[in-house]
Amino acid sequence: MKNLFILVIIILFFSCKHEFEKPYWNVDLTSPIAFSIIDLNSMSNDSVFSIDTLSDNSLTLVYQNDLLDVSIDSNFILNAISTTKNVKLQTIVFPDQTIPYQINFGELIQSSGLGFLFPNDSFRIVPAIPGVINDVIAIDANEYFEQMTLTEGFIDITISNDLPSDLSNLVINLRNQGETTNLVEIILPYLASGDVFQMTESLSNQIIYGDMEIEILNADLVGTGSTPVLIQYQDALTTEINIRDLVLQQGIAIFPSQEIFNEDTVVAFDIGDVRLTKVLVDQGGVEVIGVSTVQDTLKIEYIIPNAIKDGQMFKLNFNLPPAPIGESITVVEFFDFSGYEIDLTGQFGDTVNTLYTVSRGWIDSSGIVTEISLQDSIFNTITVKDIIPAKAWGYLGSDTISGEESINFDFFDDLNGSFDLEQLEVSLVTQNFLGSNGQVNIKKLEAVSNSESVLLNSSLINSTFQIEAATDNTDNTITSSELAITFDQDNSNIDQLIELKPNKFNFEYEIITNNDVNQELGFAYQGLGLKSELQMNIPVFFSLDDITFSDTVEVDFTIPNDIDEGNFILIAENGYPLNAQIELLMLDDANNLLQTLISGQEILAGEVGQNGMVSTPKLSQLDIPFSNASNLNNTKKVGFRVSFSTSPQNQTIKFYSDYSIKLKLVGNFNYSVEQ
Amino acid sequence: MRALTLILLLATKVAFSQSYLETEYQIGLLNSSINAQHILDGSGFLSNDFKDQFINDLDEDNYFFIQQESGSKYRNAKGWSVGFKNSILGSIQFPKDLVELGLYGNGQLIGQDLSLAPISVQVVHFTKLFYDQEINENLSTSIALVVGHQFANLDVKKGLFNTADLGVSVNYDLELEAQFSDTTNLQIYSFNGIGFAFGAEYKQDIENGKISFAINDLGIIRWNNKTSNLSINSQYAFEGIEINDIENFNDSSITNELDKIEEDLKGVTVKENYHYRLPFRLNAKLSQNLNNKIANELTFGVDYINNFYPSPRWSLQFHKDLKKHRVSLGYHVGGAEHAGFEFAYAYSGDVNQIKVYTKQANYFNPESAYGIHFGIGIRKILKPKQEKKNDK
């Protein structure tokens, strides 16, 4: 039994052995691939072309291209101007110094030993006392100087006798301490009580030191005879030494605070026939170069009273530090001028292009004794650098700008066939941003298409048009003025130029700025002058007869290997009154034809009702078979050629803003499923 | 006294039951619609004729059932038993429309609304450690500790698919839920959940026969907090890639669209514990003795595995005993499989007993063979010491 069972199993196993292949099969796949809704409004992203909608909802094609952009900024660059100051020490005046000395009656009586006989505020007879004063008194002027070698100078000595008695036989010498030679010698035979003696001595070529001394060799007290007088100890003999009008050759002294220069300057900018009353500075500044050998601080102040920013006038303060001993010091600084508004009418507001400045230089004494020499000098140059205005006001000068421009026009490049325009307007629109009137003259407009050309004929050619000045608003903006010179089928042959399907326009012009020489209240903003552009308005209202548009688009897609064959269906729901014959070509990198996808198939136009508008979009189905998927993979470009014809034929049709064509591409593929 | 007698009788009955060791194994792949002839013909390229015939043979809803179970048990003469059982159960339900879409592609189903639901896939793998106890000669109960290894549920409640006329759009509306246990640990006996199960069996002798009723695997598994719960509710209508600028169109636009769909289909996934109701089993049998030469006994039975059988499985078997051998031939309908024959052979020796069986005995005719199944059980009777001495 057991053996039988085993035998049955073996037989079953071998009998059931079967050649088995993995199953595989084909499936039909259908899927939408892409869709697009095309309307003329979606073309308005182009910077050159746009679509506008008119009041009746019909469309107009608008083309605009810049022609000119001229500015007259270069007329207003204010050239650099400099002022230089060179000051030597010999022009510096040292301040007068007054050194007082006093000896009072109390001191005299006490020194004579008779003080007890002559109490203060008593009445006594003052006896004669010979040689009552015999002293050397030190005078310390180091506070002012240590030593000065003078080229010029004077010393005034004033002796006032306020003692109760006359004095006689006064002998007074003034000299530098430690020297035997006297600067001044005074021999005064008699000086009555209450009298003042004055004398002046020249100090030319003298050297004086801060340490001086007055030697009173002799002074006799004459006495009051028998007349008692009020004894007041504070009554004194006063000596006042005044050193003045010093001109130093050199010295060691406290450099005095004093002005070196102080002057107003008026400079005029040379800017041709431009007469500016005001500018707002965009770029520019003041450069100061200072060189000094003075061993004290030099300060320079430079003011432009008519340059205002944020309510403050332009003022620069520039310091030259003390020079090292035996050397000079140089400092250069730049002060930015941008943002300042400068009145160029001068100090009294009666000129133009003029800058009024005030400059001042002084030595600000440090109070420190330093070496001073006649060789010391101060040199400074103040330069107002090239000023580039952001804005300028005044008479702007007159400019004639003429030339010839060519504009490339590629709209018709891929278009074959003919069209007839019902309406057309081409305008040259000029915007004036200058605060002065101008004139515009179009000398020539020509359309060129390969070897053909058409010249514009119009009474507007070679006519001079006036363009008004722009308006300067209070918020620092400009409202430009505009001039449009329009050519249409009534005043020119402009339609012939466009129907030529040109690839270029040649344009010759002349613009005169500021033709009114009396316009003193003009203005100009930096970068803004006159701009012109060409505008073309073509109402989309035409008839087309087999007008062909062709282009090549680069593509990049990969078809899976499992897809054997199939077809595409292009479903078009056409809301335009346009029939379109389509040809689609698959090209490789070298533009070799791989396969023709579509040829001779047509997308039908939407049905046009009695009101001339499309009432019902038309559905068309274009079959695009392909049997070689590798061709698709090798396709790098798709060339398409579309021929449009309006429907109904030979009838001018308007296009409305709500027209569109919906395209959908559906793929049907035979796909091989393998395990 | 009477009660005591009854108890003694019961005790005697229990005392005189045999102890044995038993091992059983079964494996099967069954389905309701695809037979062996389909598989034989589906070799190599599938022609349209084959596809047509194949689709025609499918039901509106079709089922696959996968079963592998193995286990061992020790049964004591006193009426209790312990053992373990490892179960792998799986079922797949799918509609005819899905197969039609896969074989033909949507290109031939344009304009048709295809219902790709309900689709359900269930797989569970668990091991049961059980203890059975005979209450009396009629009733026994069992209790089991259940260790969950892996499970996965997918239930597509809504799956509408449509390709519009001319292929201008492809649309789907999908609603599904899925749960699955932790996939980071790919060991086959990984510990991902724990639960319990109860069972009970009642059998009784009747006139000229027996009846029995059983319920098993009534319980739950609590899967751990790494169990994923995914729900997707997505509607999509693909009308093609919108082109605003023809000059910049390339297949990256397609890739971007596919990425959008993929993102949409990611759904919402939450990781948390999941309570899974075990697929309880119901079984009922009625046996009748037959006094004829062809068959000794007739058994009429019904089985049901919850969530895996779309309907109860009814069977009728005829048994023929030849000494210690029994051969059984039956026929079944319902369940997760196509109707067909079933066969079993059993040898009941004094010590060793063996049973082999198959739920699909239609191998002689490929057109009626809707799956394969094989089961084997071996039982070794354990004699008490006294009996062994007597034998010697």
Side-chain angles (χ1 to χ4, degrees), chain A residues 65-197:
Chain A
N65 201 352
D66 292 336
L67 285 176
L68 293 171
D69 188 355
V70 296
S71 74
I72 52 175
D73 291 355
S74 57
N75 294 356
F76 310 130
I77 296 176
L78 308 178
N79 53 299
I81 45 176
S82 300
T83 54
T84 300
K85 274 276 176 263
N86 196 350
V87 179
K88 290 244 179 218
L89 200 63
Q90 60 197 359
T91 64
I92 296 175
V93 176
F94 202 82
D96 298 344
Q97 304 290 338
T98 300
I99 306 155
Y101 169 74
Q102 190 181 71
I103 183 166
N104 62 39
F105 186 72
E107 290 169 332
L108 284 175
I109 285 297
Q110 295 295 342
S111 67
S112 68
L114 298 175
F116 67 96
L117 292 176
F118 296 91
N120 195 24
D121 291 327
S122 64
F123 278 88
R124 294 285 187 276
I125 295 170
V126 177
I129 305 173
V132 69
I133 305 171
N134 184 335
D135 201 0
V136 177
I137 302 107
I139 296 177
D140 184 2
N142 286 298
E143 185 184 341
Y144 307 105
F145 61 89
E146 287 183 7
Q147 171 260 325
M148 285 194 287
T149 303
L150 300 171
T151 305
E152 289 176 22
F154 294 93
I155 187 166
D156 300 324
I157 298 184
T158 305
I159 303 174
S160 302
N161 182 11
D162 292 316
L163 296 170
S165 166
D166 298 343
L167 290 171
S168 64
N169 302 319
L170 280 90
V171 179
I172 299 173
N173 292 328
L174 173 69
R175 59 176 173 265
N176 290 320
Q177 220 175 68
E179 289 187 1
T180 54
T181 309
N182 292 324
L183 293 169
V184 174
E185 291 178 349
I186 301 172
I187 300 175
L188 192 58
Y190 198 88
L191 183 64
S193 174
D195 273 358
V196 176
F197 169 77

Side-chain angles (χ1 to χ4, degrees), chain A residues 261-276:
Chain A
F261 62 87
N262 185 350
E263 60 184 25
D264 299 350
T265 310
V266 170
V267 289
F269 295 100
D270 180 10
I271 42 178
D273 65 343
V274 176
R275 300 191 289 272
L276 297 180

Side-chain angles (χ1 to χ4, degrees), chain B residues 323-391:
Chain B
K323 293 185 183 176
K324 293 184 180 181
H325 305 273
R326 168 173 269 209
V327 175
S328 303
L329 184 64
Y331 192 82
H332 66 267
V333 295
E337 57 207 269
H338 199 275
F341 291 98
E342 54 189 45
F343 173 81
Y345 163 78
Y347 168 76
S348 300
D350 293 335
V351 175
N352 298 310
Q353 297 175 356
I354 187 168
K355 180 181 178 185
V356 291
Y357 56 97
T358 176
K359 292 181 180 176
Q360 275 286 334
N362 294 33
Y363 302 116
F364 54 89
N365 179 13
E367 284 187 7
S368 57
Y370 285 84
I372 52 172
H373 179 266
F374 173 75
I376 181 169
I378 298 172
R379 181 183 287 184
K380 184 171 179 64
I381 305 296
L382 303 171
K383 288 185 177 179
K385 286 180 185 174
Q386 188 59 45
E387 277 195 49
K388 281 183 185 171
K389 277 185 186 173
N390 292 341
D391 283 344

Side-chain angles (χ1 to χ4, degrees), chain B residues 253-380:
Chain B
S253 307
I254 299 172
T255 310
N256 293 340
E257 194 70 28
L258 290 173
D259 287 343
K260 269 198 288 186
I261 296 171
E262 187 184 339
E263 191 59 37
D264 197 39
L265 288 175
K266 272 185 185 171
V268 177
T269 304
V270 176
K271 285 201 185 282
E272 58 186 4
N273 292 106
Y274 183 75
H275 289 97
Y276 175 84
R277 209 176 292 171
L278 280 170
F280 64 83
R281 305 180 196 215
L282 297 172
N283 174 272
K285 279 184 192 167
L286 168 67
S287 296
Q288 284 286 289
N289 295 325
L290 299 173
N291 294 317
N292 65 58
K293 289 180 183 175
I294 297 174
N296 302 103
E297 192 179 338
L298 162 76
T299 300
F300 178 72
V302 59
D303 292 293
Y304 179 71
I305 303 179
N306 186 45
N307 286 340
F308 284 85
Y309 280 3
S311 62
R313 182 180 186 277
W314 303 91
S315 64
L316 182 66
Q317 289 183 330
F318 292 93
H319 312 279
K320 177 66 178 176
D321 293 322
L322 297 164
K323 293 185 183 176
K324 293 184 180 181
H325 305 273
R326 168 173 269 209
V327 175
S328 303
L329 184 64
Y331 192 82
H332 66 267
V333 295
E337 57 207 269
H338 199 275
F341 291 98
E342 54 189 45
F343 173 81
Y345 163 78
Y347 168 76
S348 300
D350 293 335
V351 175
N352 298 310
Q353 297 175 356
I354 187 168
K355 180 181 178 185
V356 291
Y357 56 97
T358 176
K359 292 181 180 176
Q360 275 286 334
N362 294 33
Y363 302 116
F364 54 89
N365 179 13
E367 284 187 7
S368 57
Y370 285 84
I372 52 172
H373 179 266
F374 173 75
I376 181 169
I378 298 172
R379 181 183 287 184
K380 184 171 179 64

Side-chain angles (χ1 to χ4, degrees), chain A residues 1 5 12 16 18-37 551-558 569 571 619 621 640 664-668 673, chain B residues 39-40 42-46 48 51 101-108 110 163 165-170 238-244 246-252 254 325 345 356:
Chain A
M1 187 66 180
F5 179 73
L12 279 174
C16 290
H18 183 81
E19 285 292 329
F20 190 77
E21 270 182 70
K22 280 185 184 176
Y24 64 97
W25 64 96
N26 291 340
V27 294
D28 293 324
L29 299 178
T30 297
S31 175
I33 294 174
F35 73 93
S36 186
I37 300 174
D551 201 356
T552 305
V553 173
E554 289 190 4
V555 294
D556 180 19
F557 42 71
T558 309
I569 297 178
I571 301 168
L619 200 65
Q621 194 173 315
F640 60 91
K664 181 165 283 191
L665 186 67
V666 175
N668 298 305
V673 177
Chain B
I39 294 172
L40 290 172
S43 166
F45 181 71
L46 305 182
N48 282 341
K51 291 184 205 174
L101 185 64
L103 287 178
Y104 291 123
N106 71 325
Q108 294 193 25
I110 290 176
T163 305
D165 287 339
L166 294 177
V168 294
S169 70
V170 172
F238 177 62
E239 298 203 20
I241 312 291
E242 184 170 4
I243 299 176
N244 292 316
I246 183 69
E247 295 193 359
N248 287 321
F249 178 72
N250 54 51
D251 56 2
S252 67
I254 299 172
H325 305 273
Y345 163 78
V356 291

